[in-house]
Amino acid sequence: MDSLQDDAARVEALAGLSRFRREFYGCLTLRADALFELADAVLCGGGPVVSLPELSLQAVHRRGHGAMYDALTQGHINASRLRMSLAGLELPRGTDGQLSIALDVTPWPRPDAECSPGRLHCHRPCRCDGVRQTIPGWPYQVAAALGGGRSSWTGPLDVVRIGPDDDLTEVTATQVRDLLARLRETGQWREGDPAVLFVLDSGYDIVRLTWLLREEPVRLLGRIRSDRVMHAPAGRRKGPRPGRQPRHGAEFRLADPATHPTPIQESTTVHDRFGQVTARCWSRLHPKLDRRGSWADHQGELPIVEGTLVHLAVEYLPGNRDPKPLWLWHSHPDAAAHDVDRLWRIFLRRFDLEHTFRFFKQTLGLTRPRLRNPEQADRWVWLILAAYTQLRLARCLAEDLRRPWEKPLTPNQLTPGRVRRGYPRIHRTVGTPANAPKATHPGPGRPKGRTSTPAPRHPVGKKQHKKDTPKRSGALQQP
């Protein structure tokens, strides 16, 4: 009976993989055959992708390296259709049916590409002393569905390149709205379902995102700095004289435990990796906003954006016996309606996206090509996302081709790297919708007597343009 169920699952998985491959091929509207075989070459490679010319030597890539570069330069991918195809796949969910989606930015370093436009200063951690530094490059913001339990698998749904003139908060809000519309259209989210949870790391203005997405059925969960100051709801004005009612209540200094009232909820659990974990939460806290930065152009009175604060303290971290506490912000202001233990566990699942980024870069070669134009980089990024999705759909079809020093894994525990080892066998079974190359002859090459002018240089743009802040009333003004 189990063998029949396994065979049925394999047939269903093979059919799903074939459908996605045909749909992906339909999304390639120009230079489709060359782009599709380039993605297959990434999947069927024997080791990490080190360069584009090496991919042209794979058996599944039946064209020359010139056709590969021409496809990245002149090809076209219908990104809207591909986004809809990714949203229509089966996505991991929580026990209550809630979708959890992680958002994070990963940089494509291009420090010496002076002829490449669209670069800006991207955050990049320094491995020498742990200090965060910046590097010129192309930042890409990826949205991926998170699963439950320990796993290195995610479900990429969308990717957007951040430009020098883009506001990260506005771009993120637009990306969330568009993604939610696709989830509705594909039936992944319906009225009455739990709100979609978006998990963010530090670096996002989560309070402004909460305000921009206040009309959408979404919840935001993200990390905030431990030196921020929040305020409780304002009470009635004191004193007999009439006047304006206060807008902010008592201060809640995250770094000062003396200002912390009794938490609404508190839970203590024992984690096998972090030891004793204590989580506490307070409801209806808000920051005091001022007209600087992203709120400088806000029309009317500044709003009161309330949320739930979660304080997480662990006994120890791997390699750190004295860890600092973690502060999380949840956009739902009612802390009594939350499962505080579930919230911090969902936030830990956000780090699965870091494993996906590492697999993209170290194995699939996300940042290996030295492309000049950002449009070429966009096509390559979409090819990598489509290739990773095929690996996710082929999980139950792959065999455990482990090395002698590796531990055996069950089919449900296979990592993306091990699935990629067995993908050439799956490729022979599933076939390819790409057409065979036509017979041709070498091109004429560069015309004689013609020289090209130097390529224009492009400066590195800023990530966000800082807006003018209002001057203090007592400050001296230059004549």
Side-chain angles (χ1 to χ4, degrees):
M1 188 64 179
D2 294 339
S3 61
L4 293 178
Q5 293 178 353
D6 293 342
D7 293 342
R10 290 180 61 87
V11 171
E12 183 179 357
L14 187 61
L17 178 60
S18 300
R19 285 195 302 268
F20 179 78
R21 285 173 61 84
R22 291 193 298 268
E23 181 65 21
F24 172 53
Y25 182 76
C27 297
L28 309 177
T29 56
L30 192 61
R31 304 294 195 276
D33 297 325
L35 288 174
F36 191 87
E37 291 187 354
L38 179 57
D40 279 352
V42 172
L43 290 171
C44 297
V49 176
V50 294
S51 67
L52 289 181
E54 291 290 338
L55 291 177
S56 64
L57 301 179
Q58 296 293 330
V60 296
H61 194 279
R62 298 172 291 180
R63 291 162 173 82
H65 65 278
M68 175 185 58
Y69 280 108
D70 180 68
L72 290 176
T73 304
Q74 303 294 335
H76 183 265
I77 301 177
N78 190 344
S80 300
R81 181 177 174 180
L82 185 53
R83 287 187 176 102
M84 190 65 67
S85 301
L86 295 174
L89 298 175
E90 183 180 358
L91 302 178
R93 295 175 180 267
T95 55
D96 57 350
Q98 186 181 36
L99 279 172
S100 300
I101 300 176
L103 282 172
D104 204 356
V105 177
T106 182
W108 184 333
R110 301 290 285 143
D112 301 325
E114 298 180 358
C115 301
S116 297
R119 296 182 303 156
L120 53 85
H121 292 283
C122 309
H123 287 288
R124 188 183 188 185
C126 178
R127 294 186 177 182
C128 53
D129 56 0
V131 179
R132 296 186 64 88
Q133 298 180 350
T134 60
I135 186 171
W138 294 316
Y140 284 89
Q141 181 166 264
V142 179
L146 301 176
R150 293 184 178 180
S151 173
S152 57
W153 290 96
T154 60
L157 296 171
D158 189 19
V159 60
V160 174
R161 176 169 50 86
I162 310 298
D165 299 327
D166 293 337
D167 185 281
L168 179 60
T169 306
E170 297 287 347
V171 172
T172 304
T174 303
Q175 187 179 15
V176 170
R177 294 191 192 100
D178 296 342
L179 178 55
L180 186 61
R182 292 192 296 271
L183 295 176
R184 283 172 169 169
E185 188 172 350
T186 55
Q188 299 282 4
W189 188 89
R190 298 181 177 87
E191 296 295 336
D193 292 346
V196 182
L197 180 63
F198 286 87
V199 188
L200 315 171
D201 199 9
S202 61
Y204 289 89
D205 191 350
I206 192 170
V207 176
R208 178 161 175 81
L209 273 176
T210 301
W211 171 254
L212 294 176
L213 300 172
R214 63 190 181 280
E215 303 296 337
E216 302 293 339
V218 300
R219 294 287 183 263
L220 303 178
L221 177 64
R223 182 158 60 102
I224 60 175
R225 300 193 316 270
S226 59
D227 59 348
R228 299 195 62 169
V229 179
M230 298 292 174
H231 291 266
R236 302 295 298 176
R237 187 177 185 274
K238 299 180 181 180
R241 295 184 179 180
R244 182 180 178 180
Q245 297 296 331
R247 303 190 71 225
H248 310 288
E251 286 188 348
F252 187 104
R253 295 183 176 274
L254 275 61
D256 186 6
T259 62
H260 301 174
T262 304
I264 303 299
Q265 285 193 52
E266 183 173 357
S267 69
T268 302
T269 58
V270 178
H271 196 273
D272 57 353
R273 190 175 185 183
F274 308 121
Q276 182 175 327
V277 180
T278 303
R280 299 178 296 170
C281 65
W282 295 265
S283 63
R284 299 200 175 278
L285 295 175
H286 65 273
K288 182 186 293 186
L289 305 178
D290 51 16
R291 295 189 180 277
R292 292 185 301 177
S294 58
W295 295 99
D297 297 333
H298 183 80
Q299 300 296 329
E301 190 177 32
L302 293 175
I304 299 294
V305 185
E306 293 183 330
T308 297
L309 272 182
V310 179
H311 176 268
L312 185 64
V314 299
E315 185 178 358
Y316 54 82
L317 290 173
N320 186 3
R321 290 291 175 177
D322 188 19
K324 296 181 180 179
L326 186 69
W327 287 94
L328 304 177
W329 166 276
H330 193 265
S331 60
H332 195 288
D334 188 7
H338 301 328
D339 184 357
V340 62
D341 186 64
R342 176 175 171 271
L343 284 180
W344 69 263
R345 291 181 183 274
I346 292 178
F347 179 78
L348 291 183
R349 296 270 62 81
R350 191 209 67 82
F351 293 95
D352 295 342
L353 189 57
E354 302 294 341
H355 296 288
T356 302
F357 288 160
R358 182 175 59 181
F359 182 73
F360 282 174
K361 295 181 178 181
Q362 295 183 0
T363 304
L364 301 184
L366 177 66
T367 58
R368 282 292 184 176
R370 296 297 179 257
L371 304 174
R372 173 177 294 185
N373 299 322
E375 293 78 15
Q376 297 173 330
D378 294 345
R379 299 184 189 102
W380 175 250
V381 170
W382 277 115
L383 291 181
I384 297 299
L385 258 68
Y388 180 85
T389 302
Q390 295 180 54
L391 293 178
R392 186 168 65 91
L393 296 176
R395 287 183 63 181
C396 61
L397 300 174
E399 300 178 6
D400 187 14
L401 303 178
R402 66 184 183 92
R403 301 290 188 260
W405 53 85
E406 295 176 341
K407 296 181 180 180
L409 299 176
T410 62
N412 295 331
Q413 296 176 336
L414 290 180
T415 61
R418 294 204 188 183
V419 174
R420 183 172 178 260
R421 291 177 191 171
Y423 194 84
R425 301 182 181 181
I426 302 174
H427 183 273
R428 289 193 292 268
T429 303
V430 75
T432 177
N435 299 315
K438 300 178 180 179
T440 182
H441 58 275
R446 183 187 297 272
K448 294 182 179 181
R450 181 179 298 180
T451 58
S452 59
T453 58
R457 266 53 178 174
H458 301 274
V460 181
K462 296 182 179 180
K463 190 170 185 180
Q464 292 184 12
H465 293 292
K466 295 184 179 180
K467 301 178 182 179
D468 295 334
T469 57
K471 298 180 179 180
R472 300 178 182 177
S473 57
L476 296 177
Q477 299 183 6
Q478 297 293 336

